[in-house]
Amino acid sequence: MYLLVAGLAGSGKTTLVANYSRWLRENGHNVRVVNLDPGAEIVPYKPDFDIRNLFTVSQIMKKYGLGPNGALLKAGELLLEKSDEVLANPAFKPYDAIVFIDTPGQLEVFMFRVEGRKFVRKLMRRAPTVVVFLVDAQLCNNIGDFISSWALGLFLQIKLDIPVIPIINKIDLVGEEERKLIEAIVYEPETLKEVIVKKLRGLNAALAEDLVKLVADYQQSMRPIMVSALKGDGFEDLFSVVHETFCSCGDLS
Amino acid sequence: MYLLVAGLAGSGKTTLVANYSRWLRENGHNVRVVNLDPGAEIVPYKPDFDIRNLFTVSQIMKKYGLGPNGALLKAGELLLEKSDEVLANPAFKPYDAIVFIDTPGQLEVFMFRVEGRKFVRKLMRRAPTVVVFLVDAQLCNNIGDFISSWALGLFLQIKLDIPVIPIINKIDLVGEEERKLIEAIVYEPETLKEVIVKKLRGLNAALAEDLVKLVADYQQSMRPIMVSALKGDGFEDLFSVVHETFCSCGDLS
């Protein structure tokens, strides 16, 4: 099965892939790791497949005479063009391991464009596929930021028609008060009103409240979870939720 | 006043800035144009201020030894660091002209990060500021894509606490049937159910429906509008809505 790791730039995707894949291995699971980010500078794990062996964003800039914007879009096109070759690599064999896939640093370039969606469709046709969607806990210092970033996971769900497991990451970097605020947003949307009204203006306070309710109603996983990708907090929780989600859409071998 | 043009990569921001600013000038308005995209390759208008004179993403890659991902994030930091210098430029004088601001190609890098939000806050403290948010009409070939991209405008509203005017662009590139679908989504969310149920699975169909209702309830502009940034269709409509929005948050000089 495929476990796609997604999230806004800086949400901790690569750290999660590195540390959670090691944790899974230590707990007896067969895991392979794929890097699909052609713009990554440093990858702190040893990938079984690395898209950068086919192309990098820097190479595309030179080869096609493009700036960074154009090259990022071109990279998405190339990924789709070469998808049969990519998926033929043994790292993508879906039934003997959990195949962990680290996605491009810019969520927009991959998940919000037609090329990324088509690539994900190809994965879904081969084996059960689930997205782990990371949100940076530190965003809760601005409630509009946190709620909108958290709700982005729903957009992936509707765009890709795929189960999305939302994860609040970097929980080790927030204080007790912020952790309580996040718990309120994530677990008790109905008690949020007071907090939101204090922090946002009229119409946007009501919007924030409705958006939180929408996420609570529609997220497909059993419960959102809090982890520290860096320190390993919450990895057992994450495994249970991933397991539950795979069981509802296919086997977790 | 400031008119920020935002949208996912490829939604037509730069074309709108070029052609709509010319149209406004031809109709007797004083307009200045700012390019804030340090990753732009070609800018098809003559900017009164161009961030690329301070830095470009390619220069940042070389100077700091970063890959494209790191350089895009660094560009956002530099914009905020240099914001006082940038805003002191006469192009940003807010009360004698409509100041049109073309934003970075990746929405995520600018609007979904704290640096972009802080820059927008600085604009808002100087003069009334409105976001024009572009959605590519062609996305309606996948209803999940269209609805989620369209609803992204709401996220900007909640993140920035700012009026957002949603625009369906490239309306010249879709056929009659697609145009009718868009009109249904945008103008008659209550009649959408049938269309959505045909195209999405159970839970996601209900989610799409609720998301459309949420957008209809909360978008602050009078009505969403359809334009062709390339051909100039809908520019009068756009002007009326921009005018109405500025009147509700400040004067349109």
Side-chain angles (χ1 to χ4, degrees), chain A residues 61-223:
Chain A
M61 286 173 70
K62 280 185 206 125
K63 182 170 173 186
Y64 296 91
L66 292 169
N69 289 347
L72 283 165
L73 301 185
K74 185 74 188 170
E77 289 167 22
L78 286 176
L79 174 64
L80 186 62
E81 258 173 46
K82 294 177 190 287
S83 55
D84 290 336
E85 181 188 340
V86 168
L87 291 171
N89 187 287
F92 281 92
K93 269 176 58 192
Y95 288 106
D96 65 336
I98 299 173
V99 183
F100 235 115
I101 304 179
D102 198 1
T103 62
Q106 309 293 326
L107 185 66
E108 183 174 341
V109 175
F110 185 59
M111 295 279 186
F112 273 69
R113 288 189 67 84
V114 68
E115 292 84 7
R117 197 183 64 232
K118 285 186 177 166
F119 188 86
V120 174
R121 283 255 159 257
K122 289 196 173 206
L123 289 175
M124 292 166 78
R125 276 198 291 270
R126 293 162 59 102
T129 305
V130 162
V131 173
V132 168
F133 181 73
L134 290 172
V135 181
D136 184 340
Q138 299 170 100
L139 291 178
C140 73
N141 288 316
N142 178 294
I143 199 158
D145 255 4
F146 182 83
I147 291 175
S148 55
S149 299
W150 186 46
L152 266 183
L154 266 197
F155 281 40
L156 292 186
Q157 196 170 299
I158 199 177
K159 282 178 87 72
L160 303 170
D161 216 356
I162 197 174
V164 173
I165 301 171
I167 294 185
I168 315 298
N169 188 26
K170 307 191 189 180
I171 201 70
D172 55 310
L173 296 181
V174 300
E176 196 49 42
E177 198 186 335
E178 291 150 310
R179 197 181 169 119
K180 281 203 176 122
L181 174 63
I182 294 173
E183 281 173 356
I185 295 173
V186 167
Y187 293 107
E188 306 145 21
E190 67 284 357
T191 67
L192 249 192
K193 194 168 180 148
E194 227 177 301
V195 181
I196 289 176
V197 167
K198 258 186 252 165
K199 309 221 175 187
L200 289 170
R201 290 190 303 182
L203 190 68
N204 278 343
L207 167 57
E209 227 190 304
D210 279 355
L211 199 52
V212 168
K213 276 187 206 139
L214 197 71
V215 181
D217 286 349
Y218 286 107
Q219 60 196 359
Q220 293 190 3
S221 77
M222 302 305 141
R223 57 183 185 277

Side-chain angles (χ1 to χ4, degrees), chain A residues 117 145 161 204 210 218, chain B residues 117 145 159 161 204 210 218:
Chain A
R117 197 183 64 232
D145 255 4
D161 216 356
N204 278 343
D210 279 355
Y218 286 107
Chain B
R117 197 184 66 231
D145 255 4
K159 281 177 89 71
D161 216 359
N204 278 344
D210 280 353
Y218 287 106

